[in-house]
């Protein structure tokens, strides 16, 4: 029984069921950062990260991310770096970003289920 409870708790099965039947929009104790990047949906595997302070847009595949609210750390793979005018600057196989939580903007350009 403890194993079942641990599994259900780890994968937030009760919350996901309640979301499925539209009984709640709550996503649990984690913040939206954790919820989105842990969701397992294909739509959140590829991301655009806008660095407005430095004038870049990073487009790549999410590899790893931090699970702390102190600093948002993100590793992207197969990254294309653009300026904010949309001009491609360069490509890199891996990119590490670390930003304060209020300084990171992420877009997921692909539709869920599509």
């Amino acid at each position: 029984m403890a194993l079942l409870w641990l599994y259900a708790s780890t994968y937030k099965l009760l919350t996901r069921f309640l979301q499925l039947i539209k009984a709640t929009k709550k996503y649990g104790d984690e913040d939206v950062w954790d919820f989105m990047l842990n969701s397992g949906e294909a739509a959140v595997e590829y991301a655009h990260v806008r660095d407005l302070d430095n004038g870049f847009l990073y487009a790549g595949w999410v590899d790893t991310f931090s699970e702390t609210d102190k600093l948002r750390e993100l590793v992207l793979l197969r990254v294309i770096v653009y300026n904010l005018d949309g001009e491609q600057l360069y490509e890199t196989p891996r990119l590490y970003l670390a930003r304060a939580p209020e300084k990171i903007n992420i877009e997921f350009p692909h539709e869920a289920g599509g």
Side-chain angles (χ1 to χ4, degrees), residues 27 30-39 49 62 64-69 71-75 97 99-101 104-106 108:
Y27 49 84
E30 61 203 342
D31 63 6
V32 175
W33 170 267
D34 291 331
F35 176 73
M36 286 295 295
L37 295 173
N38 274 320
S39 74
V49 180
V62 176
T64 54
F65 62 95
S66 63
E67 292 194 24
T68 174
D69 58 356
L71 187 65
R72 298 300 191 194
E73 296 173 293
L74 186 65
V75 176
L97 293 166
R99 301 287 185 271
I104 194 160
N105 298 313
I106 301 178
F108 301 101

Side-chain angles (χ1 to χ4, degrees), residues 5-110:
W5 177 251
L6 181 61
Y7 182 85
S9 176
T10 299
Y11 293 99
K12 301 184 180 16
L13 296 181
L14 178 60
T15 302
R16 290 177 194 255
F17 173 73
L18 292 173
Q19 290 168 339
L20 181 69
I21 64 171
K22 308 245 188 268
T24 185
K25 289 186 179 181
K26 182 179 175 173
Y27 49 84
D29 296 332
E30 61 203 342
D31 63 6
V32 175
W33 170 267
D34 291 331
F35 176 73
M36 286 295 295
L37 295 173
N38 274 320
S39 74
E41 289 185 36
V44 300
E45 292 177 4
Y46 184 81
H48 290 172
V49 180
R50 291 191 186 270
D51 185 343
L52 300 175
D53 290 342
N54 297 308
F56 298 113
L57 179 136
Y58 308 101
W61 298 90
V62 176
D63 182 43
T64 54
F65 62 95
S66 63
E67 292 194 24
T68 174
D69 58 356
K70 295 177 185 172
L71 187 65
R72 298 300 191 194
E73 296 173 293
L74 186 65
V75 176
L76 298 175
L77 300 177
R78 299 189 310 260
V79 181
I80 302 173
V81 180
Y82 300 91
N83 63 24
L84 294 180
D85 293 326
E87 177 185 346
Q88 182 176 331
L89 302 176
Y90 63 93
E91 295 182 28
T92 186
R94 185 179 304 257
L95 179 76
Y96 167 80
L97 293 166
R99 301 287 185 271
E102 65 276 2
K103 293 286 185 176
I104 194 160
N105 298 313
I106 301 178
E107 300 169 2
F108 301 101
H110 299 290

